[in-house]
């Protein structure tokens, strides 16, 4: 609950308890004053009745004692009444706390039950219901992520069997046929190597799932040239791009110093660029734009990766950075990963104080990496 929310709730309770207590005190005083007025009105007759009837005219000393105690007793009764009024106000305040504690306990025990508090605690009830709704959303998201992770483990375990079976099969052929023609042997060896690479990728995805759940993302910033940095990462993707006749075009200043964790940022750019190459149209150009942008008082490093290919629907675009999330058809593609690349990339960007945004329209999909910069 925000401090403003808490202050408003405190003021509401203070006004409610204070004014209710004052009103009760005024009502008690009015009733008591009326009672005293009636006693004073009938006091002569009452005095004669007490003196002549009760005391039979002989207890003059006792009568004087009772008369002198009258005002003291009246003041004592009024004081006791006011104490009871104030006590009722305090008890009412304590009942608010009891209701609040019961509501918080109910949040932990009864899932989905709306929190109902007295009208004076309506602001608190609204805030607690919001907290409960957010907690339930987080729990549902965590359960969904856990379920997706378990599904991915099953799919990856199944996928691992395919290249492993092929590797065993081709190695068995090579072992049992020593007189196999050189061309056939070379072809089988190449196929075995490709299957081994794919098996390595799948095993790495298993480790990726574990690392994502167990590791935090520490950031150790340093100064480096981001233009040279991007070119080096792009060069690593040359074999993958060439296999699909893709061109990676870099547009960046000749030199652009930046302040970030180079190792972590390399992973961010690597994951985003890998995603772009995987889904770009064959023979197209993947563009990488590097520059700085000033928004407000903050200077931002911006790395944008744009590819032409299948458009991402708004539904998938909203969830593309969720961990373990993949499009339905990704499971059947050779490049379908564990659905962690973009999720990890966003977490690293946010650990820097930045973010990653995505857009897809008219067949053009872009990912923008934003990293805030300190002064040089």
């Amino acid at each position: 609950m925000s401090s403003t929310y808490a202050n408003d709730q405190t003021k509401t309770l203070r006004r409610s308890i204070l004014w209710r207590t004052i009103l009760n005190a005024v009502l008690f005083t009015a009733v008591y004053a009326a009672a005293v007025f009636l006693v004073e009105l009938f006091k002569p007759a009452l005095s004669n009745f007490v003196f002549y009837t009760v005391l039979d005219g002989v207890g003059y000393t006792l009568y004087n004692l009772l008369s002198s105690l009258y005002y003291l007793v009246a003041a004592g009764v009024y004081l006791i009444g006011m104490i009871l009024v104030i006590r009722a106000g305090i008890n009412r305040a304590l009942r608010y706390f009891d209701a609040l504690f019961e509501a918080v306990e109910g949040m932990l025990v009864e899932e989905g039950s709306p929190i109902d508090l007295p009208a004076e605690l309506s602001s608190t009830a609204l805030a607690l219901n919001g907290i409960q709704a957010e907690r339930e959303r987080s729990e549902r998201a965590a359960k969904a992520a856990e379920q997706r992770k378990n599904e991915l483990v099953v799919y990856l375990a199944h996928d691992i069997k395919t290249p492993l079976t092929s590797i065993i099969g081709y190695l068995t052929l090579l072992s049992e046929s020593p007189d196999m023609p050189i061309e056939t042997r070379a072809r089988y060896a190449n196929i075995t190597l490709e299957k081994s690479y794919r098996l390595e990728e799948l095993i790495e995805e298993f480790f990726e799932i574990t690392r994502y759940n167990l590791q935090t993302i520490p950031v150790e910033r340093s100064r480096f040239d981001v233009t040279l940095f991007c070119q080096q990462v792009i060069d690593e993707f040359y074999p993958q791009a060439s296999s699909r006749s893709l061109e990676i075009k870099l547009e960046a200043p000749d030199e652009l110093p930046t302040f970030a964790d180079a190792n972590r940022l390399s992973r961010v750019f690597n994951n985003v660029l890998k995603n772009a190459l995987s889904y770009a149209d064959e023979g197209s150009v993947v563009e990488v734009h590097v520059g700085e942008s000033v928004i407000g008082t903050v200077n931002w490093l911006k790395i944008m990766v744009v590819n032409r290919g299948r458009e991402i629907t708004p539904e998938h675009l909203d969830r593309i950075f969720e961990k373990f999330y993949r499009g339905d058809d990704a499971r059947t593609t050779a490049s379908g990963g564990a659905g962690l690349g973009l999720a990890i990339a966003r977490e690293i960007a946010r650990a820097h104080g930045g973010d990653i945004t995505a857009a897809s329209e008219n067949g053009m999909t872009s990912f923008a990496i934003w990293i805030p910069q300190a002064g040089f």
Side-chain angles (χ1 to χ4, degrees), residues 274-286:
K274 180 180 179 181
N275 182 81
L277 292 173
S278 297
Y279 294 100
D281 289 339
E282 189 168 343
S284 63
V285 177
V286 175

Side-chain angles (χ1 to χ4, degrees), residues 230-241 266 270:
C230 288
Q231 186 60 62
Q232 290 173 340
V233 174
I234 289 172
D235 289 343
E236 295 175 2
F237 281 94
Y238 177 76
Q240 180 179 341
S266 172
N270 186 293

